[in-house]
């Protein structure tokens, strides 16, 4: 039974006081306070680059603070690394995946704390059983010996979460844990969170998804530009108020969109089939046929593992050898052979896994933004610096990318800003057909609205947009039409306003799954 | 100036015309004791004669050697005692020195040009191996299978020695070479190659090796195969351990070169050049002597007993 | 098969295994002397040194590093051991000379190797040098020290103990093979079944992930290099024992053969992938090739060409057979 | 400074630049002969070959690869050029002999290098061989072919054209230096200001992201290796010209110096980082060091030790000064 925050304060389990952290060119944190109380979940909100992740990293011993202090049970501590933090009972789930692709699920879950037998050998069988248990509790049932590299992003995220939960920490920090998850795993996670609260664990939870707040939040803390804007018990906050605190202006209103008449097809897919790389009962994609009209936004919903990413990848020519079927872009029939070919024929993909597939982290913002369009930026055979700057600047502004400079390494941008760079890169190619895989994953409310507006704008310009999302509200709000995928097949189609979240989930559940009566 | 090698002069190490200068000793490699002795002796003798001397190691790389010449010509040396990495590849460097008015005295390895070096004091590898070849026939007999270990491929001592040896041995049809492999003058390689050769041809009666290091390696392999009584091993150089091995009856024979002798001679020539002498014989061959069980006691490492 | 699994055998190794098998078959039919027990023993003796190096190299490569210094370190260790067993070190200060038993000399040799390895590790972990540079520096330094210590002269006649190690045979197999075989098994177990072993893979797979999971990355790397150095030391002693002499030219360019063996065995220079078993196969492929070409009486010149081609072919088949790993 | 920027100079290079500066200052005070124009010219001539290799090496390393074959390819190209200029190739079929002009021979030599490089590239891109193995195979093959072509005997007396290239001087600088300098500028521009150049960085940084951005990864890699081979060919011709002979022993272990130069210049063997300018600095550091130690009359044994230590120190300072890059 947890007290409301306002009355007689219990000593916070973990507390940050006046923390300052600067990076080359950026003051990420500027004297920030934060309190995490036993049995309560403090939801951290704020725009991309506000400093949320950085603060969490400081509190979990990843970065040392430049100034200010971190207190555990009221006593100052300075963790020199994550191991010391873990030892003190502070665990963190990072925003980015931090798994060793070459190791198995079990090995990742127990990395750094492998159970050993009397002879100092690793107790493999125990590790496996434990691992299977942990994954089951997260609602995922996979062989613990699977190499993590072979798992989809979604599954990897679950592993990441299970790993932190396995630490039985007193303080648990979750940095956008659900960004890669879909309904089912999210529910499982929230059950665990409720349970942890009752066990008196103190939680910090970073998210950009408002609908999650009422399900888990006790307190809400808002950051802007590395400063604390305010902390309130959740119930006292209205959504609009919250948004205002975050972006410092009125919440951008969502103008209701009228259903469009069915336009002529810009992208036509007929019987697209993608054979599985490993021997499997079913192909990853099984005769998928769909159309996206000129100026139309089609949203593609599905649970993890449905094969949506594979669909987009196949359309983009990534699995040429395993793909069969017919694709027609703007009246021109073609078989997707390579990304290069698809880009040239006016198709652009913003991939789901931004770090591995979307960006070259070691290169600058400018170099990434211009990567796919260099041909247009040449003057007399050489790349023109001017043209590159202009191009990059244009998209930094249009996407409101928060970066110290065009020359900054993308690696150092905040998660959301990285995502914006990916979108910027694709837009720079001026595609006729846009394939967006989870385009709003991990980006803040302001940026989300921008992306939504952008998607509509692009459609209005006569492009066809096929957007994959795991957030039902988003799908409902964005799509002129909504397709639902399950097990590599399209299982339902709805027009704007025809579907409810329930319908979507219903259609998305795998056939073997017992469907609850509507 | 006085004639070379004149005993009392060289004993009393005063520089001729008491002019002193900077002498460079450029040696093809220093990770083989034979060349270390060559270089050290040359340096020592030059210093004994009152000159400054520095050793440059070409590390068996003609390019490095060329760089050494550039450097020493730039930093005003008066003479070069030169052990070439390559008879042909080194000519260009020697010419460059000549044009810069710096005399080059070649030691041991001949360079293929008569107009470049001030003088060449040469160990006659070919003749040495002719002698070895004759002794080979005497001891091994006129029939039987044998193997040959070549030195570094592309090194012209490798070819000279092999050619000299075969110029004799090939005249006897009875002597059949069943294996010819390169072991690059290297002990380890020699041992491994020999081990394999013994597998393919267990019945060989002799191995001729392009240098003593390889001979020692080969012997090692033969010994661990227990064939030391069946197979005679021949080397070349007169290295310390080879002389000892002959004494112990492990090697049949080697060809003694005289690195010390050659080095001293070269140093004295350089000294005389600085003293003003110019009339040097283009080539001064230093004969190679056969070292066998019989005469081994007359020799020490790299030379005859004084 | 399950036995193999224990040593961490994956499709990868089984691939190289086929390559090896093909090689062996071809050679057995083309030359009778190849398939003899005696020759088998030879090949074993010939690969022991390279295998000893390759074990250490595997540890380093697993972390995503590389060790170019093994050849020079081998030479230094061998020379030190040989030197110490031959003559005592005079200690004027204490007024007596320090005598070394064969055992003592061997330990000293290995210790020197270990020290060099630790130095490499320190350079990489503490000073953040790229492994290539750190170990390249050591390659040069150790070679120089060897020449200083030996005066560029081989040190020969090392006595019985070395002789037994070098040419001795026990239960039909060379003593060296037993030693190195033991080390191979030991480290196969270490890499598969101990935390240190798995951390090698983790660090190689994702240093960041490993660090954030509380793996002491620096510690793991430091030990990888140290062990590589120590194993190079062992290899040095073994080689010296074989040649009955510590020669300053020993081990030149050995690093290439050793890295080749590890990579042929399926390891990735990017780190995180590879096994000791693979390294063993790799060494066998190279060793059998060298041995076979001589048995076939191929001229040394052609040997170089053929060797290159075969290595390319072996690995190409391997990779073709499991694309996923590229 | 902006001029430097044009060549793509970052903190990284400026670091190595300081290392170089320190080295130069130390040497100028400790030996008078170092700071002479003549010696400067020498150093330039001495580094030309290594720089020529290092330019190509940079391209390959940028893609995250490595080219161990440059030394052997250099030897092969040099030997071919030398061989062709010396004697005509008889074509009995056509009943006449194919004569080569010096120019023709040079082109042929470079072409041979290019072919070897293309082969490496094909092995890496088409057969998915690890670059280390692919180029290690070529190292062995090219050396073998060189010995076959030359009959293991050097080919000397290459005539004026080669002589001019080798020892000629133009406007106070060696012709070789002009040639290589030109190549360096050319490729500095290529890497900085062309799509191909940018794609090299992209591929090295993340092949997947590059491919998704429409970069033809295979194509880019193939060309990186091909160019590296061609540049090794050029280096071979230059060396042959300098020695006035194509020697089968040329270029042994040159790959190490070249890779060292590139890495000292701030490149990462993981790919995606490095510049031509950095390679130039790297070559200068190594060249000046070799030259200086000789001028100081340091015994060649100690030279190896000192060289190793200095290289470690140089890179250590560099890295310490910008941690982020490790
Ligand atoms: N390692 C780093 N080096 C340099 N700058 C950094 C680094 N990490 C973060 N930053 C900068 O610090 C600021 C805060 O980043 P942070 O990741 O904390 O934002 P965030 O609130 O987590 O944003 P998001 O919601 O998008 O994850 C950003 O401007 C980012 O560019
Ligand atoms: N790299 C991979 N190797 C092997 N299988 C994969 C890989 N990536 C995804 N899969 C499998 O392909 C199927 C679809 O992948 P994925 O989960 O990305 O679909 P999705 O609908 O895009 O889900 P989400 O986008 O929510 O992650 C799943 O069974 C997943 O396990
Ligand atoms: Mg964040
Ligand atoms: Mg997906």
């Amino acid at each position: 039974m947890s007290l409301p925050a306002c009355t007689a304060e219990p000593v916070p389990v973990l507390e940050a006081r006046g923390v300052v952290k600067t990076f080359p060119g950026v003051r990420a944190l500027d004297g920030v306070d934060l309190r995490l109380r036993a049995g309560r979940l403090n939801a951290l909100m704020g725009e991309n680059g506000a400093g949320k992740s950085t603060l969490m990293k400081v509190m979990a011993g990843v970065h040392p603070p430049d100034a200010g202090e971190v207190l555990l049970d009221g006593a100052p501590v300075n963790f020199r690394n994550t191991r010391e933090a873990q030892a003190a009972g502070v665990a963190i789930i990072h925003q980015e995946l931090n798994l060793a692709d070459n190791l198995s699920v079990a090995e990742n879950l127990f990395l750094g704390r492998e159970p050993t037998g009397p002879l100092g050998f690793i107790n493999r069988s125990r590790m496996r059983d434990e691992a299977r248990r942990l994954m089951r509790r997260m609602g995922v049932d996979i062989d613990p010996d699977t190499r993590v590299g072979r798992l989809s992003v979604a599954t990897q995220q679950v592993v990441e979460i299970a790993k932190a939960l396995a630490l039985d920490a007193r303080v648990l920090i979750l940095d956008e844990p659900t960004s890669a998850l879909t309904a089912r795993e999210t529910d499982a996670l929230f059950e665990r969170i409720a349970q942890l609260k009752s066990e008196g664990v103190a939680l910090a939870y970073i998210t950009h998804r408002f609908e999650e707040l009422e399900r888990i939040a006790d307190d809400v803390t808002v950051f802007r530009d590395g400063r604390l804007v305010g902390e309130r018990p959740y119930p006292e906050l209205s959504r609009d108020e919250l948004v205002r605190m975050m972006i410092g202006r009125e919440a951008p209103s969502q103008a209701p969109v009228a259903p469009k008449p069915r336009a002529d097809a810009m992208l036509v897919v007929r019987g697209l089939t993608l054979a599985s790389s490993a021997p499997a009962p079913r192909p990853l994609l099984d005769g998928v046929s769909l159309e996206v009209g000129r100026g139309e936004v089609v949203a593609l919903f599905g649970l993890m593992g449905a094969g949506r990413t594979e669909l987009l990848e196949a359309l983009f020519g990534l699995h040429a050898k395993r793909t069969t079927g017919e694709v027609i872009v703007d009246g021109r029939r073609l078989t997707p052979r390579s990304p290069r070919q698809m880009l040239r024929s006016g198709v652009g993909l913003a991939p789901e896994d931004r770090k591995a597939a979307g960006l070259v982290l070691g290169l600058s913002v400018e170099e990434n933004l211009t990567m796919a369009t260099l041909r247009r930026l040449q003057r007399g055979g050489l790349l023109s610096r001017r043209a590159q700057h202009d191009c990059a600047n244009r998209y930094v502004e249009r996407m409101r990318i928060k970066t110290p400079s065009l020359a900054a390494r993308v690696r150092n941008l905040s998660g959301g800003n990285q995502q914006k760079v990916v979108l910027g890169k694709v837009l720079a190619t001026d595609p006729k057909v846009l394939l967006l895989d989870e385009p709003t994953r991990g980006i803040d409310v302001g940026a989300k609205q921008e992306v939504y507006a952008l998607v509509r704008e692009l459609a209005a310009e006569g492009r066809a947009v096929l957007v994959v999302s795991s957030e039902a509200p988003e799908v409902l709000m964005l799509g002129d039409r909504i397709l639902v995928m399950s097990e590599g097949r399209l299982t339902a189609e709805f027009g704007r306003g025809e579907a409810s979240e329930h319908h979507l989930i219903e259609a998305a559940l795998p056939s073997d799954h017992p469907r609850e009566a509507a | 100036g006085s004639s070379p090698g004149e005993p009392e002069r060289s004993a009393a190490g005063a520089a001729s015309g008491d002019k002193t200068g900077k002498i460079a000793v450029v040696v093809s490699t220093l990770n083989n004791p034979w060349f270390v002795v060559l270089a050290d002796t040359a340096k020592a003798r030059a210093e004994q004669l009152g000159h400054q001397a520095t050793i440059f190691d070409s590390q068996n790389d003609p390019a490095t050697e060329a760089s050494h010449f550039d450097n020493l010509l730039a930093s005003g040396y008066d003479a070069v005692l030169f052990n070439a990495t390559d008879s042909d590849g080194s000519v260009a460097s020697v010419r460059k020195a000549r044009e810069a008015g710096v005399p080059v005295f070649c030691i041991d390895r001949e360079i293929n040009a008569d107009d470049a070096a001030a003088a060449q004091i040469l160990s006659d590898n070919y003749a040495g191996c002719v002698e070895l070849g004759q002794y080979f026939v005497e001891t091994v007999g006129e029939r039987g299978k044998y193997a040959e270990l070549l030195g570094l491929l592309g090194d012209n001592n490798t070819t000279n020695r092999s050619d000299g040896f075969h110029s004799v041995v090939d005249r006897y049809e009875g002597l059949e070479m069943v294996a010819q492999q390169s072991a690059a003058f290297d002990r380890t390689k020699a041992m491994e190659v020999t081990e394999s050769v013994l597998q393919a041809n267990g019945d060989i009666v002799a191995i001729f090796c392009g240098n003593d290091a390889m001979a020692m390696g080969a012997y090692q392999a033969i010994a661990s195969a227990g064939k030391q009584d069946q197979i005679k091993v021949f080397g070349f150089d007169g290295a310390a351990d080879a002389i000892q091995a002959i004494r112990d009856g492990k090697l049949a024979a080697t060809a003694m070169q005289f690195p010390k002798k050659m080095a001293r001679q070269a140093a004295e020539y350089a000294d005389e050049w600085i003293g003003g002498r110019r009339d040097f014989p283009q080539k001064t061959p230093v004969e190679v002597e056969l070292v066998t069980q019989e005469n081994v006691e007359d020799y020490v490492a790299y030379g005859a007993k004084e | 098969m399950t036995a193999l699994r224990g040593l961490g055998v994956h499709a990868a190794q089984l691939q190289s295994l086929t390559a090896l098998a093909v090689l062996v078959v071809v050679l057995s039919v083309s030359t009778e002397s190849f398939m003899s027990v005696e020759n088998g023993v030879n090949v074993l003796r010939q690969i022991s040194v390279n295998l000893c190096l390759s074990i250490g190299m595997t540890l380093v490569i697993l972390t995503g590093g590389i060790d170019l210094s093994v050849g020079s370190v081998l030479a230094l260790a061998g020379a030190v051991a040989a030197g110490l067993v031959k003559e005592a070190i005079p200690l004027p200060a204490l007024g007596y000379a320090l005598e070394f038993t064969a055992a003592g000399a061997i330990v000293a040799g290995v210790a020197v190797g270990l020290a060099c390895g630790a130095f490499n590790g320190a350079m990489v972990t503490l000073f953040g040098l790229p492994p290539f540079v750190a170990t390249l520096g050591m390659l040069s330094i150790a070679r120089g020290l060897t020449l200083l210590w030996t005066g560029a002269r081989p040190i020969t006649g090392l006595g019985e103990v070395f002789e037994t190690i070098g040419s001795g045979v026990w239960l039909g197999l060379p003593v060296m093979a037993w030693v190195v075989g033991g080390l191979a098994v030991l480290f196969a177990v270490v890499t598969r079944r101990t935390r240190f072993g798995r951390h090698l893979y983790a660090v190689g797979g994702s240093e960041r992930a490993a660090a954030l999971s509380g793996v002491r990355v620096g510690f793991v790397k430091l030990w990888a290099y140290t062990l590589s150095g120590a194993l190079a030391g062992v290899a040095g002693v073994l080689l010296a024992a074989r040649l009955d002499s510590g020669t300053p030219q020993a081990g030149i360019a050995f690093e290439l053969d050793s890295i080749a063996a590890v990579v042929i065995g399926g390891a990735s220079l990017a780190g995180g992938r590879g096994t000791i078993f693979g390294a063993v196969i790799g060494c066998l492929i190279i060793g059998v090739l060298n041995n076979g070409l001589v048995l076939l009486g191929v001229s040394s010149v052609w040997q170089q060409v053929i060797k290159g081609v075969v290595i390319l072919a072996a690995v190409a088949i391997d990779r073709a057979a499991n694309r996923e790993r590229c």
Side-chain angles (χ1 to χ4, degrees), chain A residues 152-154 180 303-310 313 352-353 437-438 441 468 470:
Chain A
S152 67
V153 183
L303 300 181
M304 108 183 224
R308 296 162 302 167
T309 294
E310 279 61 24
E313 289 180 350
E352 161 185 53
D353 178 358
D437 199 351
E438 312 280 4
R441 173 172 295 173
V468 165
S470 307

Side-chain angles (χ1 to χ4, degrees), chain B:
Chain B
S2 59
S3 69
E6 193 183 312
E8 71 278 5
R9 254 211 82 273
S10 25
S16 54
D18 359 292
K19 280 225 201 70
T20 68
K22 280 167 72 186
I23 296 180
V25 180
V26 180
V27 61
S28 59
T29 174
L30 283 183
N31 54 41
N32 174 329
W34 194 91
F35 293 98
V36 174
V37 169
L38 185 83
D40 291 347
T41 320
K43 183 171 192 281
R45 184 57 182 146
E47 283 167 346
Q48 191 182 29
L49 292 168
H51 306 285
Q52 264 185 56
T54 322
I55 298 177
F56 299 83
D57 175 7
S58 309
Q59 293 166 355
N60 275 328
D61 173 18
T64 311
E65 186 179 73
S67 306
H68 286 331
F69 269 84
D70 293 337
N71 294 339
L72 63 89
L73 292 181
S75 37
Y77 279 83
D78 302 299
V80 184
L81 309 184
F82 181 40
N83 167 243
T85 54
D86 184 302
S87 307
D88 297 292
S90 305
V91 176
S93 299
V94 179
R95 285 236 165 77
K96 205 178 277 163
R98 185 185 199 82
E99 282 152 22
V102 178
V104 177
F105 300 90
C106 296
I107 315 174
D108 170 45
R109 183 172 293 158
E110 181 173 4
I111 61 161
N112 297 342
D114 301 342
D115 56 348
Q120 304 199 50
I121 297 125
L122 306 170
S123 168
D124 193 335
N125 286 278
Y126 187 92
C129 286
V130 171
E131 252 190 284
L132 257 178
Q134 283 150 353
Y135 185 74
F136 183 93
V137 178
E138 285 170 32
T139 48
V140 176
E142 301 196 356
R143 43 181 52 276
K145 296 180 177 173
Y146 71 95
E148 177 181 10
L149 293 191
L150 297 169
L152 203 59
L153 294 170
D155 180 307
N156 49 340
N157 276 346
T158 301
T159 29
N160 289 342
R161 293 174 190 178
S162 183
D163 295 351
F165 175 78
H166 285 286
S167 70
V168 177
V169 176
D170 291 1
R171 285 196 251 107
Y172 303 86
E173 297 81 8
L175 290 169
E176 181 195 357
M177 181 171 71
V178 291
Q180 184 183 43
Q181 293 285 337
S182 164
F185 292 133
D186 179 68
R187 229 185 171 88
T188 317
K189 285 207 189 70
M191 174 174 54
E192 296 192 349
V193 171
T194 310
E195 281 168 348
S196 303
V197 167
L198 289 179
Q199 283 310 311
N201 324 84
D203 54 351
I204 58 171
V205 295
I207 294 188
F208 171 69
C209 305
N211 79 344
D212 284 339
M214 293 195 289
M216 296 305 290
Y219 177 81
Q220 203 59 33
I222 292 168
S224 54
K227 298 194 166 176
Q228 53 271 59
D229 303 329
Q230 172 198 324
I231 303 172
K232 296 195 167 56
V233 184
F234 298 78
F236 192 101
D237 272 355
D241 47 0
I243 296 297
Q244 186 53 47
I246 292 177
R247 219 175 259 124
D248 306 346
K250 292 176 175 175
L251 298 194
T254 187
M256 172 63 75
Q257 309 192 74
F258 295 88
K260 294 180 183 161
K261 203 192 231 175
M262 291 187 282
R264 281 201 212 90
Q265 180 68 84
E268 284 153 13
Y269 275 4
D271 170 61
E272 291 162 12
W273 173 287
I274 293 167
R277 177 180 172 196
R278 292 293 180 269
D279 58 328
F280 297 97
Q282 174 59 217
K283 289 184 188 170
T284 317
V286 174
E287 82 292 5
V288 173
E289 293 174 12
L290 186 64
V291 183
T292 69
Q293 322 273 7
E294 295 80 58
N295 66 359
V296 64
E297 294 311 329
D298 312 344
Y299 295 89
V300 293
Y302 309 118
K305 281 219 178 83
E306 262 103 43

Side-chain angles (χ1 to χ4, degrees), chain A residues 285 300-303 306-308 311 483-486 488-491 508:
Chain A
L285 295 175
L300 184 57
F301 182 78
L303 300 181
R308 296 162 302 167
L311 173 57
L483 303 176
V484 183
M485 250 184 113
S486 172
R489 288 200 201 74
L490 288 179
T491 51

Side-chain angles (χ1 to χ4, degrees), chain A residues 26-346:
Chain A
V26 207
R27 195 174 186 81
L29 293 174
D30 190 0
V32 182
D33 302 344
L34 181 70
R35 283 177 217 77
L36 304 180
R37 304 175 188 79
R40 289 180 70 86
L41 181 146
N42 193 338
L44 278 58
M45 307 282 289
E47 289 184 284
N48 295 127
K52 306 181 292 295
S53 298
T54 305
L55 178 58
M56 294 303 106
K57 286 177 184 165
V58 168
M59 293 175 86
V62 179
H63 296 316
D66 298 345
E69 56 181 359
V70 177
L71 301 87
L72 186 65
D73 301 322
V77 287
N78 54 350
F79 304 127
R80 268 180 280 103
N81 53 44
T82 39
R83 198 157 12 91
E84 291 184 3
Q86 281 178 18
V90 179
I92 178 169
I93 297 169
H94 289 274
Q95 180 172 11
E96 317 80 13
L97 290 168
N98 285 299
L99 301 169
D101 287 357
N102 59 322
L103 296 185
S104 74
V105 170
E107 286 174 327
N108 269 286
L109 285 172
F110 290 92
L111 189 52
R113 31 178 222 96
E114 298 82 355
T116 51
L119 295 168
F121 292 134
I122 294 175
N123 182 337
R124 284 235 220 56
S125 52
R126 203 177 114 217
M127 222 164 79
R128 263 197 224 93
D129 303 343
E130 271 293 301
R132 187 172 275 110
R133 225 191 74 254
L134 289 166
M135 291 304 283
R136 283 233 182 84
R137 282 170 74 184
M138 284 302 302
V140 176
D141 193 358
I142 53 169
D143 174 5
D145 288 332
T146 326
R147 266 184 49 235
V148 161
R150 298 192 51 80
L151 301 175
S152 67
V153 183
T155 324
Q156 290 185 6
Q157 182 67 51
V158 176
V159 175
E160 187 83 49
I161 295 169
K163 185 173 160 187
L165 292 177
L167 288 169
D168 311 319
R170 300 174 48 220
V171 179
L172 180 59
I173 298 169
L174 305 95
D175 193 345
E176 301 189 32
T178 53
S179 60
L181 299 187
T182 53
R184 223 186 322 167
E185 312 81 50
T186 308
D187 295 343
L189 174 61
F190 287 175
E191 279 166 33
R192 292 301 313 285
I193 287 179
Q195 186 183 351
L196 290 170
K197 280 192 201 169
S198 64
E199 292 165 7
V201 175
L203 297 122
Y205 187 102
I206 301 179
T207 185
H208 292 293
R209 298 183 177 176
F210 290 86
E211 66 274 18
E212 292 180 351
L213 294 181
E214 86 241 16
R215 296 178 63 183
I216 51 170
D218 301 304
D219 310 302
V220 177
T221 310
V222 180
F223 294 91
R224 196 189 318 137
D225 302 333
R227 288 206 186 68
L228 181 71
V229 178
E231 180 190 7
R232 310 269 192 79
Y234 173 68
E236 298 175 10
L237 265 178
S238 81
R239 181 195 163 105
D240 292 354
E241 202 177 351
L242 185 50
V243 173
R244 208 176 311 108
M245 286 172 78
M246 283 172 62
I247 61 180
R249 52 188 144 84
E250 278 303 326
S253 62
Q254 302 179 22
V257 185
K260 290 201 199 100
R262 184 66 169 271
D264 56 334
M266 174 73 93
L267 171 71
V268 180
V269 180
R270 292 221 189 86
L272 192 76
T273 301
L274 174 65
S276 174
S277 51
R282 60 174 179 89
L284 294 173
L285 295 175
D286 192 352
V288 174
S289 303
L290 58 80
E291 284 191 7
V292 185
R294 187 183 304 279
E296 184 183 34
V297 178
V298 172
L300 184 57
F301 182 78
L303 300 181
M304 108 183 224
R308 296 162 302 167
T309 294
E310 279 61 24
L311 173 57
L312 299 198
E313 289 180 350
L315 280 175
F316 198 57
L318 264 175
H319 308 299
K321 288 199 195 64
R322 291 187 281 138
T323 313
T324 54
E326 180 177 51
V327 178
I328 301 170
V329 177
D330 196 14
R332 284 184 40 255
R333 166 178 284 92
L334 47 80
T335 39
R337 240 177 285 98
S338 71
R340 178 185 175 79
Q341 169 213 14
M342 295 315 283
L343 277 165
R344 294 211 164 162
S345 36

Side-chain angles (χ1 to χ4, degrees), chain C residues 263-291:
Chain C
V263 175
I264 291 174
S268 150
L269 288 168
R273 202 178 61 224
T275 65
I276 299 293
F277 185 82
V280 175
I281 302 298
C283 288
L284 277 167
I285 289 181
I286 293 179
V288 167
L289 194 56
N290 288 333
N291 171 265

Side-chain angles (χ1 to χ4, degrees), chain C residues 230-259:
Chain C
L231 284 158
V234 175
V237 172
L238 293 177
L239 184 58
R242 258 196 98 188
L243 294 166
D244 188 29
S245 82
T247 60
Q249 299 100 308
I252 288 173
F254 276 22
E255 62 277 4
L256 289 182
D257 266 4
S258 156
I259 299 170

